[in-house]
Structure formats: structure tokens, C-alpha cells
């Protein structure tokens, strides 16, 4: 079909890159590359540095984004949080309310360009973690409730074209978020996306993905990469040039 | 003789008044009594004639002191005045088919009317008979009001108005449906009967005229601009006329105006301005051989084109934190129309095993962007973008396009990263020629160490880095901003570039390497920011509770300067208006600043005003405030172009600028030149007067009973009459002579 782009059309320009040889450097050192900050609370949260390292490596291999494949653990009121514009809050249990300083910093972080991915790993509806997350968001953004992201949301097309979001489990198959300006700086999944990414030191996956197995894991990886890309490009994929082109090529309805 | 002796008084009816000061009269009386008393002392019977003469003399002196005045009052009646008002507006200069102008006909009529008083009028009333028809406007009602005020309370024998009836005042009003009628409310009570003489014949004069070019005084860049050209026809049978529109002398459109039954028509042009600035739009219609007034066949109007939104192309070689924050800023700014293209995947990412059909990627339309659409952008940002993998064999041409786009007035910003400057292989390309930094670094071309950029002297006052108005506060703000993580290395600033931020330790040629540099290239501007962590000015400031104002202001200022905000050129020309009336004072201010945006005192500002009748030179030095002012010529109707060049005292070029203005070419007096007898007839009917058609003669209405009573009042100062002085002197002299005859001293 002529409506589909040729492989050279999509990546033709990149073909010349191979001839150009390796670049002299990748970013100006770690501080300018993308990494992950894991928010750690007194209880209820998890740290999965291997999951994020895997995501960042997958991102480097799949996209042109330069990443430092590491995760740093920070408390919400740590000013160092502002050195890491991509943060995650992962957990499976109830966590305590944030103090005023931490809450204020979290609001400022999200208001001025930070991005937070919240991942409920419990794999059950109405988990204690879910209740704590919703209470936290109510405290921080009382006028901006969590809403389900529509199928047209940029996060579903920021790099991969995704039909539905899944993680280690596929119970909810949805993402929620709060909007500030033109983007959603906080996105929430209840399907344990980080569980699909997490692995042991020897590289083997830690958790089985149910019910879809490795195909589901692949979709979870794609979703996680899209989250990184969305955090960087926000609603870029809703720019007219992209929408028009994707529709012309029949890849978007 | 008798009048002289009596100071012209003391005859006819009247009365005597004494106007002397009582004090003076009293003093004179006392002196007279004393003198007489002294004269009487001793034997007075033998000196009776002497004393009588003395008494008479003193009485006359007292009479002079009393200052007698003879007051005569009366009245007389003179015939009423006949007043003639001659229309001397420019439409009266139109020649009729017979060869005689309306004005000549009017003067002949005025002479025949033998007026007591003659006035002429255009927009206002003037005394006397006119010598030429050259007045602006025609206000018949205003002229009658002025006459009414002038002769208030006086009964006039008659008033005659001689006109072609083309009233530009308030005599005619149009209702919502466009129907025209006489507005009687503007007519004053006249002191005598009115006779209206028409000159000129309606539709007898062949003419096509542009009556107006309707547009706003400003338009938005790349937004439709509608210009309506209104035309009128008289004395010609054509159904339509071609209308041509030019912009700064270049064709901008053509159309056809079709006339309605009343001879009105219009042509509408919809244009899309592609550049900001002031432009002269001139509409014209062909001049037919029989056209009586060729000068009303063209009309100019200056339209100022402004940006409503800055159209920005952001091309980024890799999504990054730096790109993220810049996009957020650009996307949130309602004044920005942003087109972004980010390279999300390269050849080296293919091994990941995902099929292209799974991807939401589109082809990077670099040819369309840099071949066809480039001129539609106000600003191009190449952010960590390496052209080579994409442009391939078109590299030289496409980079040349960008360079030419800059020279032609476009704006370019290159932002650092591992794909920028020498790492992006821009050295030696056409694009390097327009960058503010020199490329060609051999070996290491990046320094990854963190550093705090230093604000330069030029940066302290340049609008891009002047984030706060106060110099000290601005310097303190830059000092406290978080450090940058690494920088591209360059060979220093390009010739003519201004360095606003420098590296504190990396040197080139003895000076710190430019971190932020700007440059004017041709009509465009470029900026080089050699870091990829300016986002930290936003996010790290927010961490301190300070918000992201510094980052927003920096990029906002940079964008405004790059796109050549009129207030941020090296030479700025300021005009209070772009369309002025003839002879209206119009002052041009030229502001001159150097690359660091400091006012340049003593700069030579020279230029020319190119108008319809040739060139007028301009020359003036700038003052301490860097400003030079000029009074522009506005005598000639039409478009005028001002070209200004500024050089420093040592002859170095500082910049140039151009602007345009128009002395409106519309002459309302020549919009319509067909005589309007109907208006004059309606005027006569409304006032109960007489209408005399053009080419015919009737005597004017005259009120034979009209007259004016002249009040006479005549004062004759008797005290200064020579006869009184003569009598006093004679009596005193006789008394003195008799006294000497009687042997007394």
C-alpha cells in the first residue's frame, strides 16, 4: 500500500548515520541524560532499580533518547529530586501521608516540568496502595482529580502505537492522570508495569506476566518506553503534522 | 472755521455735560476767588471795567476746568445688505464641457449680483472675493451659519449662494437604507431671503475616481488582510473598471470593480502578508483619455503588518530534558505557533527488534521544511540536531537555504549538545557563515565539566540577557543560576557577534569562550547557546521555590530579539502615524544602539525621503540618548519611503532601517465632481428661497423693506475748543491792560 511509509521513508535519513561513524560523545555527561528517581516513603513503597535500568537501556537501544541506566532513591522532600525530571512511585501497600514540605515540593516538581509515574504493583483492585495514592493526589491537587486517559492520549503514541496499557498484570488496562496545562505530569497505572520490567542481576525476568506471557511483557516494555518519551515530548504526537501524516498512512484512525 | 472754534459742537439738538473732576473745579474756583479778592482790595469803583474783565476771564478759566462736552444723539436708516457666498473649494476648479470652470462661472455670477458683502467658503467662511478655487472641503451649512452669526439681528436684503452643490459638510444625511436627504436641522435662521445659484452640471464631467482604500491601519502577519478599493464613476458609461493593487511598488493583485446604478463600485483584495513591517499599498484604475481628474485615479495607504504569533520551527536531534523544557515553554506561550520535529529514532536504534509498523513515527519532512516552508517561519531552532544523516547529498543546498533565510530576515538559534556545532559537523558549511561562533575545533570539541557562565559587559545590557531591569539585580540573578553541565567548544565569536555569556575558564584568543553569542546577519539574526542544560535554569530555580521566571524570561527575550521585534533592532525608526494629512507635522525618531544595545551618541544618521516629487536628504547626529529626530516632508500627497543608515563617529556601519508613510492621496474634494443641483434645490426649498439652475439667470430674491438703522452719537469736547481759550485769554488780557492804565502794577 502506498499509504504506508517505506522503511527508508521512516528511517532513511538514519541510514546515512551509519556511514557517518560514531559520534564523539553522547550528551554532556550524566546530569544531562535521562534517569529515574524512585520516591521512597517510610512504608508501602518498593524500589526496583533493575526494572528502571532495563527500561532506560531499552530506551537507549530503541530510541534516540540518551539515558543513564540508573535509578536513584529519594525521599519526596529531597531537593535533589529536581535533578531528575523523571520520577516513579512504586508500591503495593498503604503509605503515610506526606508532610507539608514534601507535598509542597511534589506539587512544585510537577508544576514546573517534572514527571511522576505511579505504579501499583499489588495486582488487585482497591489495594491499600491505590487508596494511599488517591489520598495523596487529593491532598496535592484537590481541584485536579485523577481521570482516565482517553485512547487518543499522546502517551499511547509517543513512540509506539499502543492499543491498551498493560503491565505484569492486565486487570485494569487503563491509565489515569492529572492534567496541568497541556500535559499530564502524573500518570498512574494499577497493572504493575515495573513488575514486567523487573529482573534479577543475572538478567532473567523476576515475574511472569499474566495472562499474556511474553507478548504482554513486550507490550509493557513498549508502554514504559512511551512513558519516557511522553515525559520528554508531552503532546508532541498530537501536533498537526504528526496526526495528519499518521492518518494518511492508515496507522491512526 | 466755526467747527474748529467750537470743537465741532454746540450745534443742533443735544445736551451739555460737564466732565471735569470736582476736585480740579474746586481748586480752580478757590484760586479764582483769591485772585479776584486780591484785585479788589483798595479803591474798586474807579477800576470797575478792569475787575469785570478779570471776573469774566476767571469765569472762562473755571469753565475750562469743568470740561464741558456737547453730546448730540440721533439715528439714520440705510438700505439692507446683500451678501454673496462663493464656493471656492477645489471641485469648483473643474472645467465644464464648454471650457469654462465652475469657478469662473461663479465669479461672473457674483459680479452680476452686485453684492454689498462678498465671502467665499470651503470648509470655513472667509471674507472677500476669492481669486482661486483651492479650499479643502465644502460646508454650505457651515457658511450659512457663519453669515447668520455675523449679521445676527440685522435684516438683510438677501443672501446668494453660488456653488456646484457638492457638499462635504453636514448638509446631506443618509438614512440606514442609504437614501440621501437634506438635514434641515443644520440650517440657521437667515436674516434675508436666500437665492441659490448652481454652477456645473451633474454627470457632465467624465471621471473615474478611487474614493477610498479601506483597510485597518495594521494587519497580522500570515493572516488574511482585506483591502477594499472603492471607486466612483461620473460622466462615463463604463460598467466596470479594472483595479490594480501594488505593495511597495510590486504587483499585489488585480480585480474588477463593477458600478451600480448610482455609479459606485468596489474591488476587494484578500492578501496574506508574509513579512512584518510597514507597507505601501497603492490602488489604481486606468486613466481614460476623457478623464477630467486623473489625479484621483490612484490612492495609497500604509498598512503596518505585525506578528500576532511567532511561528517557530523546533528541530531536535534527540528528545532530551533540554528539548522538553524548551518545548514546554514554547507550547505554553500563546504568542507562539510551534512546529516541532524531534528525531525519535536513528539507524543505530534498529537492532531493538520492533517493527516500524508498531511505531508512531513519521518521516522527517526535511526537504519540505528547509526547501519550501522555511520562509514561513519566524524562528528556526536547531537543538542538538545533526543535519548530515538526514540532508545527505542535499546538505550544502539545504544548509545554504537556511543561511539565506537568515540573511533575508529569518532567525536561527543553535542550541548545544552532542549533535551541535562541531559535533554536528557544521564547521565549513554555509550555515557556519551565519553563526555567531567560529567552528573548526580540532580534536576535543566538548568540555563536560560543570561551570557557571559569566555575564559579559554586553550581556549586562543586551535584551536577551537583561532578565531584570536593575543592572545589579540582573547580575546577581545570573550569578545564582545553577551551573551548566558541559559545553560545546568553539573557536570564539564570529566577526560582528556579541558575546553575552562566557565560559569562566575555557579560553580562546585570551577571552573566555562564548557560551551565548548573538549576531546580526544581513536582515536576520542568529544566536548560539553552546550548552544543553539551560533547562536547569528552570527546574533548579523551582527547587529553590523561585519558580521558573529566569528561564522563561531568557527564552522569551531571546525569541523576541531573534525575530527582530521592532523595538530590538540596532537602528529603530519610530513614526507616530503611518498615514497623515497634507502638511500635518510628522516627526521621525531614529534610535541607534550598538551590538551590546548601548545607546550610541554622536553617530551619523543620514538618509533620504523618497517621495512623489523626488528625494529629500536627512542628516543628523545622535544625542547622548542615541536618538536623532527629523521633521519629515508632508506637503506632497502620496507614499514616501524613508531610508536611514547609521555609522559611528569612526565610520563603522551600525545598521540601517527603512520605513514608509503616506500623505493621504485621497482628496475628498475630487472624490465626486459631478455637480449636485438637487442638493442646492433642496436647500432653496427648505429655506423658502429661490433656486437658479446652472446656465440660467434669475434675479435674486431681495427684501426691499430691509434696512438697517444706524445709531449716531456725537460728543464735542467744548473745553478744548479754541474759542473758549480765546475768550478767557482776551478777558484776562483786557483786565491786565486796564489795570496798567490805571497805574497799578
Amino acid at each position: 500500500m502506498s499509504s504506508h511509509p517505506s522503511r527508508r521513508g521512516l528511517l532513511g535519513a538514519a541510514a546515512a548515520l551509519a556511514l557517518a561513524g560514531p559520534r564523539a560523545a553522547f550528551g554532556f555527561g550524566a546530569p544531562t541524560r535521562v534517569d529515574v528517581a524512585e520516591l521512597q516513603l517510610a512504608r508501602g513503597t518498593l524500589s526496583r532499580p533493575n526494572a528502571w535500568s532495563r527500561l532506560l537501556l531499552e530506551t537507549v537501544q530503541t530510541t534516540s533518547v540518551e539515558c543513564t541506566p540508573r535509578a536513584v532513591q529519594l525521599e519526596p522532600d529531597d531537593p535533589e529530586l529536581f535533578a531528575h525530571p523523571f520520577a516513579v512511585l512504586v508500591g503495593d501497600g498503604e503509605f503515610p501521608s506526606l508532610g507539608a514540605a514534601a507535598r509542597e515540593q511534589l506539587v512544585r516538581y510537577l508544576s514546573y516540568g517534572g514527571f511522576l509515574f505511579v505504579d501499583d504493583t499489588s495486582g488487585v483492585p482497591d489495594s491499600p496502595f491505590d487508596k494511599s495514592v488517591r489520598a495523596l493526589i487529593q491532598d496535592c491537587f484537590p481541584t485536579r482529580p485523577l481521570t482516565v486517559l482517553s485512547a487518543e492520549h499522546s502517551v499511547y503514541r509517543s513512540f509506539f502505537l499502543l492499543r491498551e496499557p498493560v503491565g505484569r498484570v492486565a486487570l485494569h488496562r487503563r491509565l489515569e492522570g492529572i492534567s496541568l496545562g497541556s500535559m499530564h505530569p502524573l500518570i498512574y497505572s494499577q497493572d504493575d508495569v515495573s513488575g514486567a520490567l523487573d529482573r534479577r542481576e543475572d538478567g532473567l525476568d523476576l515475574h511472569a506476566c499474566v495472562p499474556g506471557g511474553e507478548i504482554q511483557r513486550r507490550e509493557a516494555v513498549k508502554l514504559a518506553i512511551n512513558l519516557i518519551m511522553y515525559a520528554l515530548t508531552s503532546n508532541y504526537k498530537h501536533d498537526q503534522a504528526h496526526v495528519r501524516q499518521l492518518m494518511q498512512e492508515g496507522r491512526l484512525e | 472755521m466755526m467747527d474748529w472754534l467750537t470743537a465741532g459742537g454746540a450745534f443742533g439738538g443735544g445736551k451739555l455735560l460737564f466732565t471735569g473732576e470736582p476736585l480740579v473745579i474746586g481748586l480752580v474756583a478757590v484760586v479764582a476767588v483769591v485772585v479776584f479778592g486780591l484785585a479788589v482790595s483798595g479803591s474798586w469803583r474807579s477800576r470797575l471795567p478792569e475787575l469785570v474783565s478779570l471776573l469774566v476771564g476767571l469765569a472762562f478759566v473755571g469753565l475750562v476746568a469743568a470740561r464741558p462736552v456737547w453730546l448730540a444723539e440721533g439715528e439714520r436708516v440705510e438700505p439692507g445688505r446683500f451678501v454673496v457666498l462663493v464656493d471656492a473649494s477645489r471641485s469648483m476648479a473643474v472645467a465644464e464641457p464648454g471650457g469654462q470652470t465652475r469657478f469662473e462661472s461663479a465669479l461672473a455670477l457674483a459680479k452680476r449680483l452686485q453684492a454689498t458683502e462678498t465671502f467665499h467658503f470651503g470648509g470655513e467662511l472667509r471674507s472677500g472675493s476669492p481669486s482661486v478655487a483651492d479650499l479643502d472641503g465644502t460646508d454650505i451649512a457651515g457658511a450659512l451659519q457663519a453669515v447668520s452669526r455675523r449679521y445676527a439681528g440685522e435684516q438683510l436684503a438677501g443672501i446668494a449662494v453660488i456653488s456646484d452643490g457638492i457638499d462635504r459638510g453636514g448638509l446631506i444625511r443618509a438614512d440606514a437604507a442609504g437614501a440621501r436627504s437634506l438635514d434641515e436641522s443644520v440650517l440657521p435662521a437667515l436674516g434675508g431671503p436666500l437665492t441659490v445659484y448652481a454652477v456645473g452640471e451633474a454627470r457632465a464631467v467624465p471621471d473615474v475616481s478611487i474614493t477610498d482604500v479601506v483597510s485597518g491601519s495594521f494587519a497580522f502577519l500570515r493572516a488574511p488582510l482585506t483591502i477594499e478599493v472603492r471607486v466612483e464613476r461620473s460622466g462615463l458609461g463604463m460598467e466596470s473598471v479594472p483595479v490594480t493593487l501594488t505593495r511597495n511598488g510590486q504587483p499585489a493583485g488585480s480585480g474588477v470593480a463593477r458600478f451600480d446604478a448610482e455609479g459606485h463600485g468596489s474591488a476587494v483584495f484578500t492578501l496574506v502578508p508574509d513579512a512584518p513591517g510597514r507597507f505601501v499599498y497603492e490602488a489604481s484604475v486606468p486613466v481614460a483619455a476623457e478623464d477630467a481628474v486623473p489625479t484621483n485615479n490612484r490612492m495609497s495607504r500604509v498598512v503596518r503588518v505585525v506578528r500576532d504569533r511567532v511561528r517557530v520551527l523546533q528541530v531536535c536531534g534527540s528528545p532530551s530534558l533540554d528539548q522538553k523544557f524548551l518545548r514546554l515553554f514554547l507550547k505554553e506561550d500563546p504568542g507562539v505557533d510551534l512546529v516541532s520535529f524531534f528525531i525519535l529514532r536513528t539507524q543505530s536504534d534498529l537492532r531493538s527488534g520492533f517493527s516500524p509498523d508498531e511505531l508512531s513515527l513519521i518521516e522527517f519532512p526535511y526537504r519540505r521544511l528547509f526547501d519550501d516552508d522555511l520562509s514561513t517561519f519566524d524562528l528556526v531552532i536547531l537543538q542538538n540536531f545533526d543535519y548530515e544523516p538526514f540532508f545527505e547529498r542535499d546538505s550544502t543546498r539545504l544548509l545554504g537555504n537556511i543561511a539565506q533565510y537568515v540573511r533575508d530576515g529569518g532567525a536561527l538559534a543553535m542550541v548545544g549538545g552532542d549533535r551541535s556545532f562541531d559535533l554536528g559537523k557544521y564547521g565549513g558549511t554555509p550555515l557556519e557563515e551565519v553563526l555567531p561562533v567560529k567552528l573548526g575545533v580540532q580534536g576535543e570539541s566538548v568540555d563536560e565539566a560543570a561551570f557557571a557562565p559569566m555575564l559579559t559587559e554586553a550581556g549586562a545590557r543586551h535584551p536577551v540577557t537583561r532578565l531584570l531591569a536593575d543592572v545589579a539585580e540582573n547580575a546577581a540573578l545570573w550569578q545564582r543560576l545553577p551551573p551548566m553541565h558541559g559545553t560545546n567548544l568553539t573557536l570564539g565569536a564570529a566577526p560582528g557577534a556579541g558575546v553575552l555569556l562566557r565560559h569562566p575558564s575555557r579560553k580562546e584568543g585570551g577571552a573566555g569562550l562564548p557560551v551565548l553569542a548573538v549576531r546580526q546577519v544581513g536582515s536576520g539574526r542568529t544566536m548560539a547557546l553552546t550548552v544543553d542544560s539551560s533547562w536547569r535554569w528552570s527546574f533548579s530555580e523551582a527547587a529553590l521555590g523561585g519558580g521558573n521566571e529566569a528561564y522563561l524570561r531568557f527564552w522569551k527575550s531571546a525569541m523576541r530579539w531573534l525575530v527582530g521585534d521592532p523595538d530590538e533592532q540596532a537602528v529603530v525608526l519610530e513614526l507616530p502615524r503611518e498615514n497623515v494629512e497634507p502638511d500635518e507635522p510628522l516627526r521621525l525618531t531614529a534610535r541607534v544602539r550598538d551590538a551590546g544595545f548601548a545607546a550610541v551618541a554622536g553617530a551619523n544618521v543620514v538618509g533620504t525621503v523618497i517621495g512623489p516629487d523626488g528625494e529629500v536628504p536627512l542628516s543628523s547626529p545622535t544625542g547622548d540618548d542615541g536618538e536623532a529626530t527629523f521633521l519629515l516632508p508632508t506637503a506632497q500627497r502620496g507614499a514616501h519611503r524613508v531610508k536611514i543608515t547609521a555609522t559611528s563617529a569612526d565610520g563603522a556601519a551600525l545598521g540601517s532601517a527603512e520605513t514608509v508613510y503616506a500623505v493621504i492621496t485621497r482628496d475628498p474634494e475630487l472624490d465626486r465632481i459631478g455637480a449636485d443641483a438637487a442638493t442646492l434645490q433642496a436647500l432653496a426649498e427648505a429655506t423658502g428661497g429661490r433656486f437658479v439652475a446652472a446656465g440660467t439667470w434669475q434675479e435674486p430674491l431681495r427684501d426691499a423693506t430691509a434696512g438697517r438703522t444706524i445709531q449716531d452719537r456725537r460728543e464735542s469736547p467744548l473745553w478744548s475748543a479754541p474759542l473758549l481759550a480765546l475768550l478767557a485769554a482776551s478777558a484776562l488780557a483786557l483786565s491786565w491792560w486796564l489795570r496798567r492804565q490805571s497805574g497799578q502794577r
Side-chain angles (χ1 to χ4, degrees):
Chain A
M1 288 282 289
S2 59
S3 62
H4 283 265
S6 66
R7 194 170 296 258
R8 186 184 186 284
L10 280 173
L11 306 168
L17 189 63
L19 304 175
R23 289 193 302 273
F26 294 94
F28 290 167
T32 66
R33 299 179 205 146
V34 178
D35 60 9
V36 173
E38 289 185 309
L39 294 186
Q40 296 296 295
L41 305 177
R43 63 175 186 278
T45 56
L46 298 172
S47 175
R48 285 173 163 172
N50 290 346
W52 307 122
S53 296
R54 174 181 184 170
L55 168 60
L56 294 168
L57 280 170
E58 291 276 8
T59 303
V60 168
Q61 289 180 356
T62 309
T63 75
S64 62
V65 177
E66 308 297 351
C67 304
T68 299
R70 68 174 181 190
V72 296
Q73 288 72 44
L74 300 171
E75 295 182 359
D77 58 354
D78 189 336
E80 181 63 15
L81 180 63
F82 284 86
H84 308 276
F86 189 93
V88 296
L89 177 64
V90 182
D92 58 359
E94 182 183 1
F95 57 80
S97 300
L98 298 188
R103 219 170 37 236
E104 194 269 335
Q105 173 160 297
L106 187 59
V107 170
R108 214 151 12 96
Y109 175 83
L110 297 176
S111 300
Y112 287 109
F115 180 85
L116 178 64
F117 174 57
V118 183
D119 193 22
D120 183 349
T121 66
S122 64
V124 296
D126 302 323
S127 70
F129 182 80
D130 178 63
K131 288 188 173 67
S132 296
V133 167
R134 294 183 190 279
L136 170 66
I137 292 169
Q138 173 64 27
D139 283 350
C140 292
F141 300 99
T143 62
R144 296 181 182 278
L146 276 170
T147 55
V148 176
L149 305 187
S150 72
E152 288 75 37
H153 194 272
S154 291
V155 75
Y156 299 128
R157 63 177 79 157
S158 59
F159 190 81
F160 294 103
L161 285 168
L162 300 179
R163 298 206 179 278
E164 60 179 9
V166 293
R168 179 184 60 80
V169 296
L171 288 174
H172 297 83
R173 298 173 189 263
R174 69 179 189 190
L175 295 175
E176 295 174 89
I178 61 163
S179 67
L180 286 177
S182 60
M183 78 174 291
H184 286 82
L186 185 152
I187 289 181
Y188 177 36
S189 166
Q190 293 177 263
D191 283 338
D192 191 13
V193 176
S194 59
L197 298 170
D198 206 6
R199 58 188 177 187
R200 302 186 320 200
E201 294 301 326
D202 60 8
L204 295 176
D205 294 319
L206 262 177
H207 310 284
C209 291
V210 291
E214 290 313 299
I215 293 176
Q216 182 173 319
R217 189 186 309 281
R218 197 169 188 273
E219 290 301 303
V221 171
K222 287 161 66 176
L223 171 61
I225 291 174
N226 269 24
L227 286 167
I228 294 270
M229 204 59 95
Y230 175 72
L232 293 175
T233 63
S234 63
N235 53 1
Y236 166 61
K237 279 296 174 182
H238 265 91
D239 286 1
Q240 277 301 309
H242 299 268
V243 174
R244 200 182 306 121
Q245 183 76 26
L246 289 171
M247 290 181 76
Q248 284 173 356
E249 293 168 2
R251 290 187 286 157
L252 202 65
E253 292 180 355
Chain B
M1 181 65 182
M2 281 310 296
D3 276 354
W4 181 77
L5 286 172
T6 63
F11 295 96
K15 57 185 177 183
L16 186 64
L17 300 176
F18 291 96
T19 61
E21 290 291 331
L23 182 62
V24 175
I25 295 172
L27 281 173
V28 170
V30 170
V31 170
V33 169
V34 170
V35 169
F36 190 76
L38 291 173
V40 168
S41 62
S43 168
W44 57 275
R45 291 182 186 279
S46 58
R47 295 165 49 218
L48 193 58
E50 173 207 335
L51 294 177
V52 169
S53 299
L54 178 60
L55 188 61
V56 170
L58 291 173
F60 277 118
V61 170
L63 190 61
V64 170
R67 297 172 69 91
V69 173
W70 183 255
L71 177 63
E73 290 181 317
E75 57 182 39
R76 57 193 165 88
V77 177
E78 290 192 353
R81 286 187 272 206
F82 188 78
V83 178
V84 172
L85 310 180
V86 179
D87 183 348
S89 63
R90 273 195 295 280
S91 66
M92 291 288 286
V94 171
E96 294 294 307
Q100 190 177 37
T101 67
R102 297 169 184 171
F103 185 62
E104 289 167 344
S105 301
L107 290 184
L109 279 170
K111 187 176 180 182
R112 191 171 180 181
L113 288 169
Q114 295 183 329
T116 315
E117 303 275 357
T118 302
F119 298 90
H120 62 286
F121 66 94
E124 57 188 24
L125 188 71
R126 301 183 182 187
S127 294
S129 184
S131 58
V132 62
D134 64 348
L135 298 183
D136 289 323
T138 306
D139 188 356
I140 297 174
L144 290 173
Q145 288 166 358
V147 166
S148 178
R149 285 193 299 272
R150 187 180 184 101
Y151 298 110
E154 182 178 336
Q155 196 176 2
L156 297 175
I159 303 169
V161 171
I162 308 172
S163 172
D164 58 10
I166 308 173
D167 186 79
R168 323 280 179 181
L171 189 59
I172 299 297
R173 65 184 172 193
D175 62 17
R180 290 154 54 86
S181 62
L182 194 82
D183 184 0
E184 295 184 21
S185 68
V186 301
L187 292 175
L190 298 174
L194 178 68
T195 307
V196 182
Y197 290 90
V199 291
E201 295 182 15
R203 303 193 180 278
V205 180
D207 183 53
V208 173
S209 63
I210 296 179
T211 57
D212 208 352
V213 175
V214 182
S215 72
S217 59
F218 69 95
F220 292 114
L221 185 66
R222 297 189 200 91
L225 161 65
T226 300
I227 295 178
E228 181 185 4
V229 180
R230 294 178 181 169
V231 295
E232 274 190 22
R233 172 205 65 186
S234 69
L236 293 169
M238 60 183 67
E239 294 181 349
S240 63
V241 64
V243 182
T244 304
L245 188 71
T246 62
R247 189 186 82 162
N248 286 0
Q250 300 299 313
S254 58
V256 174
R258 301 194 180 283
F259 295 108
D260 60 17
E262 295 185 343
H264 303 287
S266 68
V268 177
F269 298 86
T270 301
L271 312 169
V272 181
D274 58 359
R278 286 183 168 90
F279 299 96
V280 179
Y281 288 92
E282 183 177 82
S284 62
V285 294
V287 179
E290 61 271 38
D291 197 313
V293 189
T295 56
N296 64 12
N297 287 43
R298 60 180 59 243
M299 183 177 290
S300 298
R301 176 167 287 277
V302 172
V303 176
R304 188 158 51 98
V305 178
V306 299
R307 288 186 176 87
D308 62 335
R309 302 178 78 190
V310 177
R311 189 166 155 83
V312 178
L313 171 64
Q314 181 193 18
V315 179
C316 186
S318 161
S320 66
L321 299 174
D322 208 32
Q323 158 268 313
K324 169 197 174 92
F325 282 82
L326 184 54
R327 177 180 163 86
L328 282 178
F329 156 70
L330 294 169
K331 202 68 183 173
E332 295 294 326
D333 189 330
V336 172
D337 176 15
L338 177 65
V339 175
S340 297
F341 280 97
F342 304 149
I343 308 303
L344 302 184
R345 194 181 198 207
T346 66
Q347 182 72 14
S348 60
D349 304 317
L350 285 173
R351 61 180 178 273
S352 60
F354 292 103
S355 150
D357 288 340
E358 295 179 87
L359 307 176
S360 168
L361 305 186
I362 65 168
E363 185 175 4
F364 176 38
Y366 62 94
R367 282 201 180 89
R368 179 164 58 80
L369 289 175
F370 297 112
D371 257 335
D372 304 329
D373 296 347
L374 196 54
S375 63
T376 69
F377 295 104
D378 299 307
L379 168 62
V380 173
I381 300 174
L382 300 181
Q383 185 171 22
N384 195 27
F385 172 71
D386 49 348
Y387 68 92
E388 200 174 42
F390 309 97
F391 291 4
E392 299 177 302
R393 284 169 296 187
D394 288 335
S395 293
T396 301
R397 183 174 61 81
L398 294 176
L399 292 177
N401 284 355
I402 301 174
Q404 191 58 43
Y405 153 81
V406 170
R407 293 188 182 96
D408 291 343
L412 169 71
M414 182 174 283
V415 182
D418 55 48
R419 295 167 166 87
S420 282
F421 300 104
D422 271 318
L423 291 176
K425 300 186 178 178
Y426 286 99
T429 69
L431 202 63
E432 187 197 355
E433 297 170 10
V434 300
L435 288 175
V437 291
K438 292 185 289 187
L439 303 180
V441 175
Q442 300 297 316
E444 180 191 36
S445 54
V446 63
D447 182 347
E448 295 190 6
F451 69 99
M454 294 172 55
L455 189 67
T456 65
E457 188 179 338
R461 57 176 179 264
H462 198 281
V464 170
T465 39
R466 189 77 175 267
L467 307 183
L468 298 173
D470 184 85
V471 174
E473 290 180 7
N474 187 54
L477 172 62
W478 279 102
Q479 281 183 345
R480 77 157 192 267
L481 287 178
M484 298 289 93
H485 291 280
T487 180
N488 292 87
L489 300 180
T490 65
L491 295 179
V499 178
L500 311 183
L501 295 175
R502 286 190 187 280
H503 197 284
S505 55
R506 300 289 306 212
K507 306 282 185 186
E508 183 66 42
L513 271 183
V515 173
L516 177 66
V518 293
R519 183 181 173 192
Q520 176 93 35
V521 185
S523 301
R525 290 175 168 181
T526 59
M527 183 179 89
L529 178 62
T530 64
V531 298
D532 69 349
S533 46
S534 69
W535 63 274
R536 294 181 63 80
W537 292 338
S538 168
F539 216 37
S540 298
E541 278 287 286
L544 302 174
N548 56 357
E549 276 301 304
Y551 179 81
L552 298 184
R553 286 187 188 184
F554 167 70
W555 274 108
K556 185 92 176 172
S557 302
M559 194 168 61
R560 285 186 60 188
W561 182 84
L562 281 164
V563 300
D565 188 302
D567 290 338
E568 295 176 358
Q569 303 279 356
V571 178
V572 176
L573 301 182
E574 290 182 351
L575 279 176
R577 293 173 300 285
E578 5 335 271
N579 298 290
V580 295
E581 299 284 338
D583 296 321
E584 183 179 348
L586 182 63
R587 198 169 293 276
L588 171 77
T589 301
R591 281 195 284 126
V592 183
R593 290 173 292 194
D594 62 17
F597 263 70
V600 180
N604 295 312
V605 180
V606 296
T608 52
V609 179
I610 305 165
D613 290 345
E615 298 186 7
V616 177
L618 302 175
S619 180
S620 175
T622 55
D624 291 341
D625 55 1
E627 294 185 358
T629 57
F630 305 93
L631 194 60
L632 297 176
T634 57
Q636 298 299 323
R637 295 175 186 272
H640 295 67
R641 178 166 295 280
V642 184
K643 296 183 176 181
I644 290 288
T645 301
T647 53
S648 64
D650 58 5
L654 294 171
S656 59
E658 290 187 23
T659 192
V660 291
Y661 65 97
V663 181
I664 59 167
T665 52
R666 181 185 180 206
D667 183 353
E669 275 300 313
L670 299 179
D671 285 352
R672 288 183 296 123
I673 56 173
D676 188 353
T679 293
L680 296 177
Q681 189 162 8
L683 171 64
E685 290 170 359
T687 56
R690 172 178 289 168
F691 170 72
V692 182
T696 64
W697 169 255
Q698 291 182 61
E699 286 292 340
L701 295 175
R702 287 184 188 271
D703 182 356
T705 64
R708 51 187 179 134
T709 302
I710 307 299
Q711 294 289 337
D712 278 338
R713 176 187 169 94
R714 192 175 176 194
E715 292 182 357
S716 300
L718 300 178
W719 56 272
S720 64
L723 180 60
L724 202 59
L726 192 63
L727 289 173
S730 299
L732 292 174
L734 178 61
S735 173
W736 180 77
W737 183 77
L738 292 172
R739 184 179 177 87
R740 294 299 299 263
Q741 289 297 313
S742 63
Q744 294 193 47
R745 298 188 65 83

